[in-house]
């Protein structure tokens, strides 16, 4: 059943729950804004991903969603649903596949509810899009969200761009440069050596340090508070080499991290939310991938490159490597540093007309 544009004045989008997914859903949200330029669009988002949407012009409002996942805090979920009901949304677009997301907007009485028919929730949706068959769309995950809009009639076609871009990058960079300057850091290489959900996605910490050393620039290390020690080990290595470094792990909000990442001259990372943010900010980004699918979830744009070793077991999609982690140990620091230098030169050429 097609959705009629003229009836849609207030749109609620339930955002994805993880930073990487939130970045990969940006093209869909930007396409939704283009299709409904005069509608008020609100994003219901977990606090840890809210800043991905807050900087972009597609969002008129970001509503924090703090109730725990699943069946916990039913009273809190009921209160959220009643708050949404009072806002009188005409349409809800559900980017996550969870039953909970559909139940919430059903309880909110939103007349049109769009989402994939996953997790047994099809009966709660007015526009339940059938699960896509394997190979039906391009493999990169951004198309998963774009196809939801297209197949529900919200957009006519998939936008042609192959790049994912995060709004407000220029202002974020200015704020980040000011913070780096206060710390005495310039021409910074950003590094995210961690990765959620196991160690299989992690390149060797000592090779991150060696790659930074070969670039010869100050470093900023980023990660969660649980990755503080991991980052501190790399920081100690760099300090011993005489390279200025600051360990930001556990010290920044997502919004602050976005500003600092935008101000980096280059970014070295595993497959992580940081990888998606850095590349979406159009920062020269080198991502070391092995266990995960570089086509489905890799970074986008001409200033992003994936470094991987195509061993026979990659991508395994496992959290922990059951053998010798060969997809990561086979990648030398020299290769990552070389890719970073080339991207820095390309960025300079693009911005200033010369590579230095």
């Amino acid at each position: 059943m097609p959705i009629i544009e003229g009836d849609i004045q207030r749109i609620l989008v339930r955002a994805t729950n993880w930073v990487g997914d939130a970045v990969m859903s940006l093209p869909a949200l930007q396409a939704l804004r283009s299709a409904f330029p005069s509608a008020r669009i609100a994003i219901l988002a977990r606090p840890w991903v809210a800043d991905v949407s807050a900087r972009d012009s597609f969002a008129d409002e970001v509503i924090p969603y703090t109730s725990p996942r699943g069946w916990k805090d039913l009273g809190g979920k009921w209160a959220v649903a009643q708050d949404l009901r009072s806002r009188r949304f005409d349409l809800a677009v559900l980017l996550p596949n969870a039953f909970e997301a559909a139940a919430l907007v059903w309880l909110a009485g939103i007349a049109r509810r769009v989402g994939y028919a996953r997790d047994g929730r099809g009966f709660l949706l007015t526009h339940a899009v059938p699960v896509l068959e394997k190979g039906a769309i391009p493999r990169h995950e951004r198309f998963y969200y774009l196809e939801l809009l297209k197949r529900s009639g919200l957009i006519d076609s998939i936008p042609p761009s192959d790049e994912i871009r995060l709004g407000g990058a220029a202002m974020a960079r200015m704020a980040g440069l000011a913070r780096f300057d206060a710390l005495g850091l310039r021409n910074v290489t950003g590094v995210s050596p961690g990765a959620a959900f196991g160690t299989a996605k992690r390149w060797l910490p000592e090779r991150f340090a060696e790659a930074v050393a070969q670039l010869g620039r100050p470093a900023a290390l980023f990660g969660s508070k649980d990755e503080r020690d991991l980052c501190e080990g790399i920081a100690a290595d760099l300090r011993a080499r005489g390279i200025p470094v600051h360990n930001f792990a556990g010290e920044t909000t997502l919004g602050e991290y976005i500003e600092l990442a935008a101000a980096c001259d280059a970014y070295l990372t595993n497959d992580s939310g940081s990888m998606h943010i850095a590349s979406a900010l159009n920062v020269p980004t080198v991502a070391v991938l092995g266990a995960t699918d570089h086509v489905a979830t890799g970074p986008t744009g001409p200033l992003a490159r994936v470094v991987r070793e195509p061993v026979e077991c990659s991508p395994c999609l496992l959290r922990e490597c059951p053998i010798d982690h060969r997809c990561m140990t086979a990648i030398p620091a020299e290769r990552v540093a070389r890719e970073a230098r080339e991207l820095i030169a390309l960025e300079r050429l693009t911005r200033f007309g010369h590579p230095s």
Side-chain angles (χ1 to χ4, degrees), residues 246-260:
H246 188 94
N247 182 2
F248 288 96
E251 294 184 355
T252 65
T253 65
L254 177 59
E256 291 167 340
Y257 165 71
I258 289 172
E259 292 173 349
L260 291 165

Side-chain angles (χ1 to χ4, degrees), residues 5 27-38 41 57-58 154-155 159:
E5 180 180 351
L29 293 169
Q30 291 157 355
L32 185 68
R33 167 54 72 197
S34 294
F36 296 91
S38 62
I41 298 178
S57 59
F58 62 71
L154 288 170
I155 62 174

Side-chain angles (χ1 to χ4, degrees), residues 132-143:
L132 303 176
E133 295 181 1
K134 187 176 182 179
I137 63 173
R139 282 169 58 190
H140 197 274
E141 193 170 330
R142 71 183 184 275
F143 291 103

